Amino acid sequence: MREEVIKQLMDLQDLKYREFHSGLCPRTYNIIGVRIPEQRKIAKRLIKDNFQKFLMEVKNEFYEETMIEGMVIAMAPMALQDRLECLRKFVPKIDNWAVCDSVCASFKVPLKERSTYWDFILTYRGSVREF
């Protein structure tokens, strides 16, 4: 599954966009150059197909692969505790503002779960990491 995703990303590569986006994300060197709407489409297809397999195979070799992983975690239908466990594993992979912002923007948190997410977020308040 992962190999299919990487192939899709390579097929969607826009070298001018990669150059532009690389300027926005200094020290991020594994950018293929795929626009966010296309990444969201891939994430949504994975959610319909077999997102669990993708999450097990993901290697975070490419910036877009990490973005899609975060989007899948945010949007896939799963139990709250499963999502929080995926997030615990994902948060250390956030190494630039774009991954942080795009993944956070992908969440639609139900009102009844907000306090649980808030408590989860607070566990990171003492972190010295930038993102």
Side-chain angles (χ1 to χ4, degrees):
M1 171 143 308
R2 177 189 176 268
E3 296 303 320
E4 295 169 26
V5 170
I6 301 304
K7 183 185 180 321
Q8 290 174 17
L9 290 170
M10 293 299 183
D11 290 345
L12 293 167
Q13 183 180 49
D14 179 335
L15 295 176
K16 287 184 179 181
Y17 181 72
R18 180 177 74 179
E19 184 179 333
F20 166 75
H21 200 70
S22 293
L24 298 175
C25 295
R27 299 178 311 277
T28 302
Y29 304 103
N30 55 352
I31 297 173
I32 296 170
V34 179
R35 296 176 183 274
I36 301 277
E38 295 300 326
Q39 293 176 45
R40 285 197 193 287
K41 287 178 189 175
I42 292 171
K44 288 177 182 178
R45 278 196 299 268
L46 287 168
I47 290 166
K48 287 181 183 176
D49 294 338
N50 189 352
F51 71 88
Q52 296 93 339
K53 184 175 181 187
F54 173 75
L55 292 177
M56 288 174 28
E57 293 178 359
V58 70
K59 294 183 182 176
N60 306 102
E61 181 180 352
F62 299 101
Y63 161 82
E64 288 87 350
E65 183 180 10
T66 303
M67 289 279 279
I68 291 169
E69 177 186 11
M71 291 174 186
V72 166
I73 291 168
M75 297 185 296
M78 63 177 86
L80 175 61
Q81 291 309 314
D82 293 337
R83 190 177 322 278
L84 292 176
E85 183 57 34
C86 287
L87 278 172
R88 277 185 196 88
K89 294 175 185 173
F90 181 76
V91 167
K93 300 174 186 181
I94 301 172
D95 62 357
N96 64 68
W97 70 268
V99 171
C100 184
D101 290 5
S102 295
V103 170
C104 288
S106 299
F107 276 87
K108 304 293 184 244
V109 178
L111 187 60
K112 66 182 181 178
E113 295 177 354
R114 288 188 181 171
S115 65
T116 303
Y117 278 101
W118 182 249
D119 292 342
F120 174 82
I121 291 166
L122 289 178
T123 65
Y124 294 95
R125 73 177 162 203
S127 174
V128 296
R129 293 191 62 219
E130 184 176 0
F131 303 102

